[in-house]
Amino acid sequence: MLRTLTAIAALLIAPVLSAQQAADAVAPETGTDTALSLTTAELQSAWERKQAGQPVEAQNWMISAANPLAVEAGARILRGGGSAADAMVATQLVLGLVEPQSSGLGGGAFLVWYDADTGELTTLDGRETAPLAATPRLFQTESGEPMGFFDAVVGGRSVGTPGTPALLEEAHSRWGRSPWPDLFDDATRMAEDGFTVSPRLAALVTADAERLALHPQTAAYFLPGGEPLQAGDTLTNPAYAQTLRTLASDGADGFYSGDIARDTINTVRSAPNNPGVLSDLDLALYSVRDRPAVCVAFRIYDICGMGPPSSGALSVGQILGMLDHHAPGHPNDPHSWRLFGDASRLAFADRGRYMADSDYVPMPTKGLVDPDYLATRAQLLQGETALEEVAPGTPEWDHAIIWADDDSVELPSTSHISIVDAAGNVLSMTTTIENAFGSRLMTGGFLLNNELTDFSFRTHRDGVPIANRLEPGKRPRSSMAPTIVMKDGAPVLAIGSPGGSRIIPYVAKTILAWADWGLDIQQAVSLPHAVNRFGGYDLEPGTWAEAMQPKLEAMGYQTRIRDLNSGLHAIEIGTILRGAADPRREGIAFGE
Ligand code: GLY
């Protein structure tokens, strides 16, 4: 089962950035505490290990995230003795500047925490909420039909009450060791002095220029002088620096009330063509929820993560829980992918029927991951060819409610941070503003989310209500799957990814590859993708996944060759720490 390094190397996809581009993305060392800064050589070495398909190894602490500047900010905190929660705050604040298209203060996040002192897992829900004035028909035309996706996304209509600022404060108040204002130093300095625009940000700005041009503040920032930002440009963001200074001194209150709140509400409510209904009451009422972790047994592990309103842990858990009854023996065997793909389709069928914000709709949360239920679903995988019919199951439930299947759209976006600190605390957080560049509305130097489009645009189907329909105050269903894998009560892996609803197969597949196929964590992260959610198989171009196309089609699958832009960031926790970052994106893992 164990593969040789040479064989593994042949499986890896081509690097997306050259080493020189990585070096260009590294900030000059002009920070206030340069003694704790990472050197360019250290960052370069982390980049090269990723591109060579090798994990970064460390003894004490580790961070893996989507941009070297953000990793550096978190690493400086860890190097100075800060906790994983402290490092996450510093990392998120820099991500909001250098990777603004994916996450930031205007969005939401889910956080999974393993506490080394107590041995307990905590999951925090910092998901956006629907404004109290939003109606279930928010995304329908006058005739009751679903709006076009981008007609709904761009403007104020799609903006939910942001949760990230409250989540940062909550995590710091529970687990922080560093002074709160110190966590803002790097992001504030970079916003004032400027940072180097990365190739990925520049490419996405160019691709989205038409929509970014629709709102003056957004256009002025991303399209200065009417032209898209270019890779290598130095970009300052004084408005973001001002926002950070307010949060550093006033905490999250400085976001949910006062000038920032007023500007946020004005921006949403006065968006031309597509105004929203967010109010000061929505901001004032926002709270982070502490929810029970969802854990599912797979082999010798417990796969633990974020329950409703995320479908992440339930669906990842269902896929692996079904595969626990089978042996997908080898990544080059198409039958491994038949098992994985059909387990995934069965999980997505349950997701579309049952999963939503359980504060608003009854959900068979326990039934969906009950071992007997998963064993029954796993029996459906016994054939030799693709399942012809895939329908939701009937998990045990104490409610007699019938739901219709939803039709929400989730396009790839989002970012993931994994951190282990020197005390052994583990953090796995997936963070988002939903679509790339969110609602395209900008205020205070940050983009506002379009998270409400994660609700089903339809409320009913043939008179039967849809669980994930929009309701005032409700949190839209997510696919984010920040995960901590446990063995005998101790954490052994932190992992998560962006990618819209493909997050679920990205995370499940990587855990499968790591646990069953003998790959180290970087090899598992770099492994080409073959993902199936609704019947069709998406295969990563230029890899052996593409070469599997004829065999999968012979089994009865429709296939599509397409880019699959995961952004997996993972840390394996053993006698040493091994960090991995996705070669499809700009991130790195770094530790010492
Ligand atoms: N908007 C991405 C997610 O929550 O899954």
Side-chain angles (χ1 to χ4, degrees):
M1 178 125 40
L2 274 173
R3 310 177 63 76
T4 66
L5 265 182
T6 318
I8 293 300
L11 300 178
L12 303 183
I13 66 164
V16 292
L17 287 181
S18 70
Q20 185 56 47
Q21 284 168 318
D24 288 345
V26 173
E29 288 176 36
T30 54
T32 47
D33 195 353
T34 49
L36 297 176
S37 287
L38 280 60
T39 64
T40 301
E42 284 176 315
L43 289 164
Q44 185 71 28
S45 158
W47 177 268
E48 283 165 5
R49 283 188 80 83
K50 170 177 93 164
Q51 298 301 44
Q54 294 165 357
V56 170
E57 296 184 343
Q59 298 292 334
N60 298 315
W61 53 260
M62 178 80 73
I63 175 168
S64 179
N67 181 287
L69 298 172
V71 168
E72 183 179 21
R76 274 158 52 87
I77 299 292
L78 293 164
R79 196 171 256 182
S83 72
D86 297 326
M88 176 278 289
V89 174
T91 303
Q92 173 67 81
L93 295 174
V94 175
L95 282 177
L97 179 69
V98 302
E99 197 200 33
Q101 71 276 17
S102 297
S103 74
L105 295 173
F110 295 121
L111 187 159
V112 187
W113 176 267
Y114 169 80
D115 195 285
D117 279 343
T118 63
E120 282 177 9
L121 276 177
T122 303
T123 66
L124 294 182
D125 165 1
R127 185 69 162 166
E128 297 89 334
T129 56
L132 295 175
T135 70
R137 298 197 157 188
L138 187 72
F139 296 124
Q140 293 178 7
T141 61
E142 280 188 5
S143 63
E145 284 306 303
M147 293 174 73
F149 182 68
F150 281 107
D151 295 341
V153 165
V154 179
R157 186 184 296 259
S158 64
V159 180
T161 316
T164 298
L167 181 66
L168 300 188
E169 185 173 76
E170 182 70 26
H172 179 261
S173 73
R174 288 179 183 230
W175 305 301
R177 281 202 295 265
S178 308
W180 171 255
D182 292 5
L183 307 178
F184 290 71
D185 285 352
D186 277 9
T188 309
R189 173 178 52 78
M190 279 184 235
E192 277 170 346
D193 296 350
F195 67 96
T196 306
V197 172
S198 76
R200 183 172 173 80
L201 172 56
L204 289 170
V205 169
T206 299
D208 201 56
E210 218 172 293
R211 284 189 276 265
L212 294 172
L214 293 173
H215 294 284
Q217 275 198 50
T218 317
Y221 186 65
F222 291 107
L223 309 166
E227 293 302 318
L229 291 169
Q230 299 295 306
D233 284 354
T234 300
L235 184 62
T236 59
N237 189 339
Y240 190 60
Q242 183 54 43
T243 294
L244 294 177
R245 274 194 288 271
T246 303
L247 266 69
S249 64
D250 300 354
D253 272 356
F255 183 91
Y256 292 97
S257 60
D259 291 350
I260 297 174
R262 188 201 58 222
D263 292 347
T264 299
I265 290 161
N266 285 344
T267 304
V268 169
R269 295 179 82 99
S270 64
N273 303 323
N274 206 12
V277 293
L278 191 71
S279 74
D280 51 0
L281 186 59
D282 294 311
L283 291 173
L285 289 177
Y286 188 82
S287 68
V288 171
R289 302 277 158 81
D290 183 332
R291 304 201 184 263
V294 167
C295 294
V296 177
F298 174 63
R299 312 295 189 224
I300 54 174
Y301 304 108
D302 289 306
I303 315 299
C304 296
M306 190 77 221
S310 187
S311 61
L314 286 171
S315 304
V316 168
Q318 282 200 325
I319 295 169
L320 294 174
M322 284 181 255
L323 293 180
D324 202 36
H325 298 270
H326 297 273
H330 193 284
N332 278 341
D333 178 357
H335 278 284
S336 300
W337 297 101
R338 179 187 63 75
L339 287 167
F340 178 73
D342 280 350
S344 185
R345 290 168 66 199
L346 290 166
F348 269 85
D350 276 358
R351 174 181 174 276
R353 174 73 55 91
Y354 298 111
M355 299 185 199
D357 181 351
S358 55
D359 287 349
Y360 277 72
V361 293
M363 254 188 72
T365 306
K366 281 202 181 116
L368 285 164
V369 289
D370 178 80
D372 291 341
Y373 175 67
L374 293 179
T376 308
R377 295 287 271 173
Q379 284 172 7
L380 298 172
L381 301 175
Q382 274 165 350
E384 293 289 312
T385 54
L387 286 176
E388 282 177 25
E389 295 264 330
V390 171
T394 48
E396 194 162 310
W397 196 3
D398 56 6
H399 271 77
I401 284 187
I402 296 174
W403 296 127
D405 298 340
D406 88 339
D407 64 353
S408 61
V409 184
E410 275 179 60
L411 297 181
S413 55
T414 312
S415 205
H416 183 81
I417 305 167
S418 292
I419 305 176
V420 179
D421 67 25
N425 300 303
V426 182
L427 175 147
S428 180
M429 176 168 123
T430 312
T431 172
T432 189
I433 57 169
E434 216 301 292
N435 198 240
F437 303 99
S439 64
R440 278 69 173 178
L441 294 181
M442 204 168 182
T443 179
F446 57 88
L447 285 158
L448 292 167
N449 70 83
N450 67 296
E451 215 68 56
L452 302 186
T453 61
D454 275 359
F455 284 115
S456 173
F457 286 18
R458 289 185 198 277
T459 55
H460 292 69
R461 201 180 284 283
D462 300 327
V464 179
I466 290 170
N468 185 35
R469 67 188 180 278
L470 199 157
E471 296 175 78
K474 192 174 176 181
R475 300 181 182 212
R477 186 193 62 205
S478 173
S479 300
M480 294 196 289
T483 303
I484 296 181
V485 177
M486 306 287 289
K487 182 173 172 243
D488 301 329
V492 291
L493 183 70
I495 188 167
S497 179
S501 60
R502 290 191 185 85
I503 290 171
I504 290 163
Y506 291 154
V507 171
K509 186 207 89 174
T510 309
I511 294 172
L512 173 69
W514 172 80
D516 263 22
W517 295 339
L519 304 190
D520 71 35
I521 190 59
Q522 183 61 58
Q523 292 162 348
V525 162
S526 302
L527 192 72
H529 288 312
V531 302
N532 197 329
R533 297 163 297 162
F534 308 111
Y537 239 117
D538 294 332
L539 305 170
E540 197 161 25
T543 70
W544 53 259
E546 179 173 1
M548 258 187 337
Q549 187 174 30
K551 288 187 180 145
L552 290 172
E553 287 185 350
M555 284 182 192
Y557 294 103
Q558 292 185 338
T559 62
R560 196 163 51 147
I561 309 299
R562 51 160 294 149
D563 286 337
L564 293 165
N565 289 316
S566 58
L568 289 148
H569 295 111
I571 303 172
E572 180 188 307
I573 306 147
T575 48
I576 61 168
L577 303 172
R578 290 197 174 85
D582 200 318
R584 302 162 185 87
R585 299 235 184 179
E586 295 174 337
I588 54 170
F590 186 85
E592 66 185 17

